[in-house]
Amino acid sequence: QVQLVESGGGLVQAGGSLRLSCQAPGSIFSGNFMAWYCQAPGKERGLVARITTRGDTNYADSVKGRFTISRDNAKNTVYLQMNSLKPEDTGVYYCNGVSRDWTLGSWGQGTQVTVSS
């Protein structure tokens, strides 16, 4: 299965912004939903934001009002605009989704986000 490819991470000061991108295989991108996840140091991977094919979105409470998930259907790409970043946002960010038959995509390498205080 083709892996998803994330990019856009980096080192930023608290209060700064980053925009993450994720290119997905068509079978996953056009499925039920796409989502961004974060694995903070020493913690399990958790859901950050999700977007359906209709464009409906939902967010983890910790990022509401600061992060925005969006999708470009022509490019099979999902974005995560991250504003007002906090040190607790630090982690490896992954994207993934499920196809129409609820098959999970193949996890990529993720992209590291580090927010300094």
Side-chain angles (χ1 to χ4, degrees), residues 100-117:
R100 292 180 183 177
D101 64 357
W102 295 98
T103 299
L104 182 66
S106 181
W107 293 100
Q109 298 298 309
T111 186
Q112 175 72 46
V113 172
T114 303
V115 184
S116 63
S117 57

Side-chain angles (χ1 to χ4, degrees), residues 13-35:
Q13 288 188 331
S17 298
L18 285 172
R19 188 192 194 207
L20 307 183
S21 300
C22 168
Q23 187 143 33
S27 61
I28 299 299
F29 186 83
S30 61
N32 289 287
F33 66 84
M34 291 293 300

Side-chain angles (χ1 to χ4, degrees), residues 4-110:
L4 288 82
V5 180
E6 302 93 345
S7 62
L11 173 63
V12 64
Q13 288 188 331
S17 298
L18 285 172
R19 188 192 194 207
L20 307 183
S21 300
C22 168
Q23 187 143 33
S27 61
I28 299 299
F29 186 83
S30 61
N32 289 287
F33 66 84
M34 291 293 300
W36 283 96
Y37 303 83
C38 177
Q39 186 161 17
K43 297 186 178 180
E44 293 187 354
R45 194 175 301 175
L47 179 69
V48 174
R50 183 169 57 188
I51 185 167
T52 69
T53 51
R54 297 190 313 174
D56 298 326
T57 59
N58 62 291
Y59 298 89
D61 288 343
S62 60
V63 307
K64 283 180 181 176
R66 299 188 298 121
F67 291 10
T68 302
I69 188 170
S70 61
R71 58 192 293 153
D72 184 334
N73 293 333
K75 297 181 179 179
N76 284 5
T77 300
V78 178
Y79 303 98
L80 185 68
Q81 178 66 43
M82 311 166 69
N83 298 329
S84 302
L85 282 160
K86 303 176 181 180
E88 50 264 44
D89 296 321
T90 293
V92 180
Y93 283 72
Y94 301 87
C95 73
N96 212 333
V98 291
S99 65
R100 292 180 183 177
D101 64 357
W102 295 98
T103 299
L104 182 66
S106 181
W107 293 100
Q109 298 298 309

